[in-house]
Amino acid sequence: MAVTAPSSATIPSAAASRTGAAAVTAVLILLVAGFALVDITQGTASVGASEVWKAFTGRADPSDASVVVASRLPRMAAGLLVGAVLGMAGAALQAVSRNVLASPDTLAVNAGSYLALGLAAVSGVSLPLFASSGVAFVGGLAAAAVVLGLSGLGAGTVRLVLAGSALTLGLTAITEGLLLLFPQQTEGLFAWNQGSIAQNGFDGVLQMAPLGLLGLVGLLLISRRVDALALGDDAARGLGVSVRGTRVTAVVLASLLSAAAVTLAGPVGFVGLCAPAIVRPLVRRFRAFSRARAGLPVAGLAGAGLVLGSDVLLRTLVPADTAVAVPTGVVTSLVGAVFLIVMATRVRDTAGAAATDRLRIRSRKVFLATTAVLTVALVGVAIAAVLLGDSKLLLGDVMNWAQGRAGQTVGFVLDTRVPRVLAALSAGAALALAGTLVQAVTRNPLAEPATLGVSGGAALGAVLLVTTTPLAASWSVAGAAFLGAAISSVVVFGLAARGGFQQNRLVLVGFGVAIGTAALISLLIVLTDPFNATKALTWLSGSTYGRTMPDVLPLSAVLAVGVVAAVLRRTELDLLSLDEDTPRLLGLGVARGRLGFLVLSVLLSATAVAAAGTIGFVGLIAPHAARALVGRQHARVVPVAVLLGAVLVGTADLVGRTVIAPAQLGAGMMTAVIGTPYFLYLLVRSRR
């Protein structure tokens, strides 16, 4: 029997692949080294390249040498370490989950670490840096375990990231609540959460470097098993690889790497998402990079280059005195948001569209009874909200105030409290109606203004006007919020329309836009008023603090128009929520109707944000609960959802103002705590 000799082209091809991979690795090393050299020449002090060279050769002025050794070099070293460990963590998570969108950010690892460190700070226990890394590790690992457990590794590329993004919103809301409640104990934690590689000496880098090395060695030791997972679970089991054990080990090691980065520099966003994406085209060209043993270090190099490159770019484009106040994490988050949006439009969601609600038919008596109960609840919440707070009042005080006969103290309390109550109730109703409209026309039960980035765009527009024009009128703020919401909506709906509005990628693109707008808001606050983080936290937490009647008027007008339009066009909403073909067969202009309802939902969301800040998940919970209570006919869903939204936000605002008075929590934080578990429940239900 003749034995065929190996083709002569096969061996040179493999050799060429190894040679090319080595050349690419060398180029990456040179690129990172170049960024590092440029980075240590930048800063606020007048210490340029020549002074740095003199510092290395021992001929520099002592003050210049001190700047280089105590600040520039530690910053550069921190950038290298943070970028490398996050790049490797992201590559490991993507490899074991076979999910190109997995990263420490999208799996809520950073948010879990943020909450864990916030709880540690509130406890008043002063922890050394190494112990803080342990706290961050536990928090990040717990968050990742929740996401992976709820979504499942095989439940679709997009679905896993949706669970992580939703959990991130909830955990961040809780942490920001702690920051507002305990400002002294958590001083500096908000700025830390933006992610900055600035260091004061090498102590932090030297303590975290062993953790990074431990994580890398651990991943390299299991690299063969990670490679086997790429063949599929069944094939890996056939090779004797423990699929569950390998995944758990890889997630633990990735969480350890992320904890090292978070402890040293805070959450430097989306490096773990972008670095593997940068390397991925090289994997297709050079097969040597397809193995984890080579791919992980290269992803680390890409991450280091991304962090240092972002730092260099920031300091090149922005004056040094301003750039020093801008965290590196804000820049990487902006880059990561763009990456997330682009990748979300390209990946296939193997889980398909989210499950829709079952058809429910309820009697007219059920609808009337539900409406009556909710109306009574709304009146009760409104009365309680007016009477309760840091100062408790009686109904007689309110009657005297309404007739203009109240005393000065009572008058002052009600003059400030009544607009807040009206703002909360109106914002809840508007967001619920906006969510009802969006879910109907997109036929996506996960869609709502906050998860689609509409509320984030509105907040960006409003904050931009408020920070640049502090005395702007209420209608101007509402107009700026509408402009921001309109721009973000065009981006989200325009990119998601190609794949169909039923796809989960609509929500994922929205999460990307929300992340980008949050980073821009942080950047705006830092550049205009770097010492007023409370302003950003108060606005982003959905607070009605300081609202006046002129602030409520734009929202009330838009809400009235929206309710009337939704009721008059209730049949059109019913048809659009069915499918694409039925409305067309009945002669309905689908595109025109969808555009009209989306514009109305954007207007409702924008005015709600202008009046009450960013409040999430109301547009998700209220429509779902309304359909469960009274069926799917929008003639019944709209009024019930509006009442539910008003009661929910009114109650959240009341609880936030009274439970820990005189301290306060924003209504947005309360709704996020409620809405996050509900969103995750919907994901689990649709997975089944």
Side-chain angles (χ1 to χ4, degrees):
M1 180 177 176
V3 178
T4 304
S7 171
S8 60
T10 303
I11 298 176
S13 175
S17 175
R18 289 194 295 270
T19 303
V24 169
T25 304
V27 170
L28 282 175
I29 292 174
L30 291 175
L31 182 63
V32 172
F35 283 143
L37 291 175
V38 175
D39 192 66
I40 61 177
T41 64
Q42 296 176 314
T44 55
S46 56
V47 179
S50 60
E51 287 80 9
V52 171
W53 175 251
K54 291 179 180 178
F56 281 130
T57 58
R59 296 184 291 109
D61 182 87
S63 60
D64 293 343
S66 176
V67 169
V68 173
V69 174
S71 178
R72 301 280 182 86
L73 286 177
R75 181 186 182 97
M76 180 268 290
L80 288 173
L81 179 59
V82 168
V85 297
L86 288 178
M88 292 185 292
L93 290 172
Q94 292 179 17
V96 297
S97 65
R98 295 194 292 275
N99 186 336
V100 296
L101 294 176
S103 75
D105 307 270
T106 55
L107 295 187
V109 175
N110 285 345
S113 298
Y114 186 27
L115 175 59
L117 290 173
L119 291 172
V122 168
S123 68
V125 178
S126 180
L127 297 174
L129 188 65
F130 196 82
S132 297
S133 67
V135 172
F137 169 67
V138 172
L141 183 60
V146 171
V147 173
L148 295 175
L150 289 176
S151 61
L153 289 170
T157 301
V158 176
R159 189 176 302 276
L160 183 142
V161 183
L162 290 179
S165 300
L167 186 60
T168 296
L169 291 178
L171 296 180
T172 303
I174 296 174
T175 310
E176 290 176 350
L178 294 176
L179 265 61
L180 287 175
L181 290 176
F182 305 95
Q184 294 182 347
Q185 294 91 329
T186 60
E187 184 179 1
L189 197 58
F190 176 76
W192 169 89
N193 185 52
Q194 307 308 308
S196 175
I197 60 174
Q199 301 291 312
N200 185 17
F202 282 98
D203 290 345
V205 176
L206 293 176
Q207 291 185 54
M208 292 299 105
L211 288 182
L213 182 60
L214 178 63
L216 173 59
V217 171
L219 289 174
L220 292 179
L221 289 176
I222 64 169
S223 60
R224 291 183 180 275
R225 287 188 283 165
V226 172
D227 291 335
L229 290 183
L231 303 175
D233 290 357
D234 293 335
R237 291 189 184 98
L239 295 173
V241 173
S242 172
V243 174
R244 181 182 295 273
T246 301
R247 281 180 172 149
V248 170
T249 303
V251 170
V252 169
L253 292 172
S255 299
L256 181 64
L257 291 171
S258 301
V262 165
T263 307
L264 182 62
V268 179
F270 291 96
V271 177
L273 175 71
C274 299
I278 294 172
V279 175
R280 199 167 295 117
L282 300 177
V283 175
R284 291 191 290 267
R285 186 174 181 84
F286 305 104
R287 296 189 62 184
F289 288 142
S290 62
R291 296 184 177 181
R293 183 169 296 180
L296 288 172
V298 171
L301 278 175
L306 183 62
V307 172
L308 287 181
S310 299
D311 198 45
V312 169
L313 179 64
L314 172 66
R315 292 170 167 237
T316 301
L317 298 179
V318 180
D321 292 340
T322 304
V324 71
V326 180
T328 309
V330 172
V331 183
T332 59
S333 292
L334 289 174
V335 175
V338 175
F339 260 86
L340 182 60
I341 293 170
V342 172
M343 294 171 68
T345 59
R346 295 181 177 180
V347 298
R348 291 186 59 189
D349 184 9
T350 54
T356 57
D357 294 324
R358 297 175 182 174
L359 179 61
R360 295 181 175 91
I361 300 176
R362 298 286 189 263
S363 67
R364 181 178 177 82
K365 290 183 179 180
V366 172
F367 166 64
L368 293 177
T370 302
T371 305
V373 170
L374 289 175
T375 302
V376 172
L378 178 62
V379 173
V381 168
I383 293 175
V386 171
L387 297 180
L388 301 178
D390 51 357
S391 299
K392 294 180 174 60
L393 303 176
L394 302 175
L395 281 176
D397 297 325
V398 179
M399 297 299 296
N400 290 335
W401 174 78
Q403 298 171 7
R405 295 188 290 109
Q408 184 176 1
T409 303
V410 172
F412 174 78
V413 171
L414 289 176
D415 286 342
T416 56
R417 186 177 295 175
V418 170
R420 294 191 61 174
V421 174
L422 293 177
L425 297 177
S426 301
L431 291 172
L433 180 57
T436 303
L437 299 178
V438 170
Q439 289 179 16
V441 300
T442 63
R443 295 187 294 278
N444 188 332
L446 299 178
E448 67 110 4
T451 59
L452 295 184
V454 178
S455 296
L460 177 60
V463 171
L464 178 61
L465 183 65
V466 169
T467 52
T468 56
T469 311
L471 299 179
S474 301
W475 286 95
S476 300
V477 176
F482 175 72
L483 181 60
I487 294 174
S488 62
S489 301
V490 168
V491 173
V492 173
F493 293 118
L495 291 175
R498 293 186 305 169
F501 285 112
Q502 296 185 50
Q503 300 297 322
N504 287 337
R505 72 168 53 90
L506 169 67
V507 185
L508 188 56
V509 172
F511 271 124
V513 172
I515 291 164
T517 55
L520 288 174
I521 290 174
S522 297
L523 180 63
L524 190 62
I525 294 295
V526 167
L527 292 179
T528 56
D529 194 357
F531 299 103
N532 201 357
T534 303
K535 180 195 299 183
L537 283 172
T538 302
W539 184 275
L540 296 175
S541 65
S543 174
T544 58
Y545 178 78
R547 296 299 180 262
T548 61
M549 290 305 297
D551 296 323
V552 183
L553 291 178
L555 175 58
S556 301
V558 172
L559 177 60
V561 172
V563 170
V564 171
V567 172
L568 292 178
R569 299 177 65 181
R570 57 190 181 276
T571 304
E572 187 175 351
L573 274 174
D574 289 336
L575 293 174
L576 287 174
S577 65
L578 290 176
D579 52 45
E580 289 286 327
D581 298 328
T582 303
R584 290 194 176 96
L585 292 175
L586 296 176
L588 182 66
V590 175
R592 178 177 54 82
R594 176 178 283 142
L595 178 62
F597 285 123
L598 289 178
V599 170
L600 180 57
S601 67
V602 169
L603 188 58
L604 287 164
S605 304
T607 50
V609 170
T614 306
I615 300 176
F617 294 108
V618 177
L620 176 76
I621 298 173
H624 273 278
R627 288 192 293 269
L629 290 170
V630 299
R632 295 179 57 86
Q633 290 180 309
H634 284 85
R636 300 178 178 181
V637 171
V638 168
V640 172
V642 167
L643 289 171
L644 279 170
V647 170
L648 178 60
V649 178
T651 303
D653 184 65
L654 172 62
V655 172
R657 287 190 295 108
T658 57
V659 171
I660 54 174
Q664 299 184 19
L665 286 175
M669 292 181 182
M670 306 299 296
T671 58
V673 172
I674 299 172
T676 297
Y678 192 76
F679 186 94
L680 296 175
Y681 160 74
L682 291 177
L683 280 176
V684 173
R685 190 183 69 172
S686 61
R687 175 186 168 193
R688 299 192 187 117

